[in-house]
Structures are given as C-alpha cells and as structure tokens.
Amino acid sequence: MRLIPTALAVAALATGAAFANPVKPAEIQFDDYGAIATSLTGVAGDAANGRDVMITRSKGNCVACHAVTALADIPFHGEVGPTLDGAADRWGEADLRGLVANAKMTFEGTIMPAFYKGSGYIRPGDGYTGDAAVGELPPILTAQEIEDVVAYLLTLKE
Amino acid sequence: MTIHVATRATTGIALAAGLAFAATADETANLIVNEEIEMVTHTAAPAHVENLDEIVSGWVFRSAETQSLQMDDFDNPGMIFVDQGMDQWNEVAGTAGNSCATCHEDVAVTMAGVRSVYPKWNEEAGEVRTLAMQINDCRENQMGAEPYKYTGGEMANMEALISVQSRGMPVDVAIDGPVQATWEAGKELYYTRTGQLELSCANCHEDNYGNMIRADHLSQGQINGFPVYRLKNAKLNTAHARFKGCVRDTRAETYKPGSDEFVALELYVASRGNGLSVEAPSVRN
C-alpha cells in the first residue's frame, strides 16, 4: 500500500516535472500568454463551490469588480473589471486557470489581484486586520478553490 | 439662485431612481451649503496631478440622500461635533490654565483660512505639520495638557471646528520648498501597490473613480471634506483613520495614524485637491 504513492511520485519526477500535490505557487508553469496547462490539484473543479468563492467577500469576491449576469441574485456587482458573461467563449480552461491564479501574467500591471501567489508582496497584512502578516502567507485562494472557480467560469457561455 | 432650483429638481429625480439602485449618485448636482456657500466640487486638476484632467469632490459620488444632508447645517449631523469642538475651544485644560481661546480668542476670526493650507511647513520645528499635529503641539506646549488621540473624537471635533471656519475657501496646500521631500514621499506611497491584493491608492481613486466596487461608488479619495461624518459609524472620521481603513482593505499592514508616512500621504493627497473647496464637516455613507 505505502509503495503506491511513492511509485507515482517517482513516475512524475521521471517525466521531468516535480508535481507536488497541490502545485505550490512558486512551482507553477505559466506559458508565454499567462495560461496554466495542467490542473493545480488533479481533482476536477466543483463549479458550485467555485460560485461560492466568487461571491464571498473573504475569498474571491470577484463580483466586487466584475458583473456576472448568471449571478444576478447576488446584489452589488462591480464595474472595475469587464463583465464575465461569455468568459468561456473567449478563454479556454488553461487561460482561465492562469487568469485566476495570477492575472498579471496575462495582463501586465492589471489591477486584478493574484489569487494564487505566495510571496513578493509589499507590506503584506494578516488578512483584513491591518496587522503585519505572521509567518508565511498562504495564497488568497487554495489550489482547489482556483480549480473550482475555473470550473464555474467554464459555465459562463453566451 | 437658478442653479439652486435646478439642483433640487435633479435631487428629486435621483431620489426616485435611488429606490431601484441604492448607490446611484447625482454627479451633476451643485453643492451650495445653507443656500449660501457655493462649493467648487469640480475643477481643473492642478498641474502636479499628472494623470487627472479634473478633480472632483467626494460629495459628488454619494447618493442624492447623503448629498442633501450636507446642504444644510440643520441636517448635517457633523455640526453637532463642531459644537462640541467649540466647548473644547473654550475649556481650560492643562497646567498652564489656558484654553484655546486664551491665545486664539474668536475661532471664527483667528482660524479662518487655516484648514485650507494644512499640512504645512513649521519653520521653528523644522517639520511638516498636519492640523492634528498643530492642535496637539498647542495642547502640550502652550497648555500643558495631554495630547488628543490622533484619530479620536476630541481631535476630530477640534479639526471640524477649525475646518468649518474655512468652508468654501479653496484648498491651497504648498508642495515645494521645504515640504517637497515629504510631498515626494507621499506621492511614492500613493502609487505603491501594497498588501496581498497589491492595490495602490491610485488603482482605486485615480484609475477607477466613478466605477462601482461591489456596493461602493469610488470617488477620487479627496480629503477636502475631512473630518467627515459617516452614517455607517455615526461619528466624525479623520483622514488618517480613512487612510488606515483603505490600506487595511488591500490586505496590507497599515501605517499608524500620525506616522511620518501618513503625514506625507496626507500632504500629497491634500495637494491633489488644491482648488476644491474646504467642505468639512462633510457627510458620507
């Protein structure tokens, strides 16, 4: 029994990509356009949970900046970013994964926060307390939450 | 007068619209306080504000209902705190047996035009002083009294009392000479993207003013109306408390109210409003 995961890890190493599970922010391979080809967890995204992440203030809070017609039952959508209606017509899964993980790799200097980035912040805080972050800062979303949001975005077709 | 009538009419329309959209603002309304003080709420940006053509008061972005509270002192809840500031003005405090009035007498005479030029250089101390720093300097060194808490209620009251004496006068903060280095430091802070959300003041208040961010209608983040009465917390709020809240919302470690960083930021942000009218105490949601 114990041999199986080890064997899988060895196989992964042998293909040249040392995929820890989940993939850590620093290990992500973005392509030249900012897309991420492979799942961060290997577990299929859950669109229903992705929807939750999109509307929850302490998580993605995507509607703070983006309007989404499919989320019309949630009050107050922002206008800072473009509407996400039809996002899945404009972008593929790998593009969307890259956009949610770190949109700055696709749109240089964008205001959109990177949701899966571990370091490189100026004066990082401890959540919304205003105090300094203690220890290593976890990304805003977990790897699985990124996958879940991507699964939800893939439902946004016009 | 004609303008005033027109304003009331648009306010009515905006109020009706407000039933459907809680956060709509009447961006064309004019602000005339007590049917007397005409405020400059839109004007050409000063040359040192490179990325804006026009500067706009935060009042413009509030709902018609909130806007109207600032149009008459009887409706403006901030005026209660001005009255409290007046009591503090006349109250003897500290070991020297002085009140503010002992030295400065009639606040309406001696403090007219003071707010509009702060923060400013103090030659003797060799430092940039905010109004709050000057108030506490008087308390400690002229009165032998305890300093007010930087963002506390007594400080906000006193700032409001002093500011209201300059209502309607244009903000006119100096940015060169001895304050230039501090101004530059403030500008640097304004454009630095902080916290885990990596947002600068400019991301929200320069690039996105006029846009909704969730339920909030983004303004230019001007401070000509400070201290402001907020309906949300039912008290007067100082500029440094607001700065702290905005920095915290970027998931960053904030600076402390009264710190060198926030003093520099206040000087810079104040200078971005040069030409707008002093509106304090203004009313916000």
Side-chain angles (χ1 to χ4, degrees):
Chain A
M1 278 300 273
R2 274 204 243 125
L3 281 176
I4 294 167
T6 316
L8 278 174
V10 170
L13 275 173
T15 63
F19 287 124
N21 201 355
V23 180
K24 292 202 175 66
E27 300 163 352
I28 292 180
Q29 312 269 339
F30 292 91
D31 75 10
D32 290 349
Y33 304 97
I36 306 171
T38 38
S39 166
L40 301 178
T41 60
V43 176
D46 170 2
N49 190 51
R51 181 185 190 280
D52 226 50
V53 171
M54 301 251 323
I55 61 178
T56 305
R57 246 167 241 275
S58 55
K59 299 216 161 168
N61 200 16
C62 313
V63 292
C65 292
H66 295 283
V68 188
T69 304
L71 297 172
D73 56 320
I74 308 301
F76 306 125
H77 297 198
E79 306 170 325
V80 170
T83 166
L84 297 181
D85 290 357
D89 301 323
R90 290 186 292 280
W91 307 96
E93 180 184 325
D95 306 315
L96 290 170
R97 185 177 290 113
L99 275 166
V100 183
N102 187 350
K104 290 167 177 80
M105 306 303 267
T106 305
F107 300 110
E108 204 190 324
T110 183
I111 185 177
M112 180 163 152
F115 290 93
Y116 201 66
K117 173 180 152 169
S119 58
Y121 303 114
I122 299 171
R123 296 183 70 83
D126 181 11
Y128 288 106
T129 62
D131 298 331
V134 267
E136 208 184 316
L137 206 59
I140 299 173
L141 298 179
T142 66
Q144 192 57 44
E145 284 168 340
I146 300 286
E147 294 302 325
D148 295 350
V149 169
V150 170
Y152 180 77
L153 293 173
L154 284 169
T155 69
L156 299 177
K157 292 196 190 263
E158 276 180 322
Chain B
M1 214 41 212
T2 348
I3 299 169
H4 193 207
V5 171
T7 305
R8 279 285 147 92
T10 27
T11 307
I13 295 163
L15 270 177
L19 295 176
F21 307 98
T24 47
D26 181 353
E27 296 191 24
T28 62
N30 293 302
L31 175 55
I32 302 170
V33 173
N34 301 335
E35 305 200 7
E36 188 188 324
I37 313 170
E38 265 186 70
M39 301 290 184
V40 174
T41 55
H42 292 81
T43 193
H48 59 265
V49 183
E50 292 130 16
N51 306 322
L52 297 177
D53 293 330
E54 194 185 35
I55 50 172
V56 185
S57 162
W59 178 84
V60 169
F61 300 89
R62 306 293 37 108
S63 72
E65 249 175 321
T66 308
Q67 285 185 343
S68 72
L69 290 175
Q70 205 187 308
M71 296 171 80
D72 193 309
D73 284 352
F74 285 110
D75 300 328
N76 183 340
M79 294 311 289
I80 296 161
F81 298 93
V82 170
D83 288 346
Q84 292 179 8
M86 189 58 118
D87 294 341
Q88 291 166 228
W89 182 263
N90 291 314
E91 184 182 70
V92 173
T95 52
N98 290 335
S99 69
C100 309
T102 313
C103 295
H104 298 291
E105 302 179 357
D106 183 357
V107 66
V109 176
T110 59
M111 293 297 140
V114 167
R115 163 85 274 177
S116 38
V117 297
Y118 267 84
K120 72 168 195 183
W121 183 250
N122 182 295
E123 189 58 49
E124 245 167 79
E127 67 183 11
V128 173
R129 271 200 188 154
T130 62
L131 193 53
M133 287 163 74
Q134 183 56 51
I135 290 167
N136 271 344
D137 186 76
C138 284
R139 281 188 63 85
E140 292 185 82
N141 298 317
Q142 310 292 344
M143 300 165 72
E146 286 291 304
Y148 292 141
K149 182 171 176 282
Y150 203 91
T151 56
E154 289 171 302
M155 179 62 85
N157 295 346
M158 187 55 71
E159 285 184 342
L161 173 71
I162 293 172
S163 301
V164 87
Q165 315 305 333
S166 301
R167 263 202 309 188
M169 296 180 190
V171 176
D172 185 18
V173 169
I175 66 167
D176 50 10
V179 308
Q180 193 186 337
T182 305
W183 184 85
E184 299 283 356
K187 181 178 181 183
E188 177 78 26
L189 286 167
Y190 192 86
Y191 287 101
T192 300
R193 299 184 64 161
T194 60
Q196 207 175 7
L197 299 182
E198 299 177 286
L199 296 171
S200 70
C201 313
N203 285 141
C204 288
H205 295 297
E206 184 169 278
D207 303 338
N208 280 291
Y209 72 89
N211 285 331
M212 297 299 295
I213 185 162
R214 201 86 200 237
D216 287 312
H217 195 191
L218 284 168
S219 72
Q220 289 185 346
Q222 299 283 1
I223 52 174
N224 58 308
F226 276 79
V228 305
Y229 179 87
R230 290 191 70 186
L231 300 163
K232 183 176 160 181
N233 59 15
K235 63 172 186 131
L236 275 186
N237 298 264
T238 64
H240 287 209
R242 180 81 235 195
F243 291 170
K244 192 176 163 190
C246 281
V247 176
R248 180 201 59 213
D249 285 350
T250 71
R251 293 171 81 130
E253 178 190 1
T254 67
Y255 294 102
K256 288 202 169 41
S259 63
D260 290 350
E261 288 86 358
F262 272 179
V263 169
L265 188 62
E266 180 179 340
L267 173 65
Y268 177 70
V269 175
S271 81
R272 291 174 67 92
N274 274 356
L276 294 174
S277 303
V278 173
E279 279 178 32
S282 59
V283 185
R284 301 291 185 260
N285 48 311

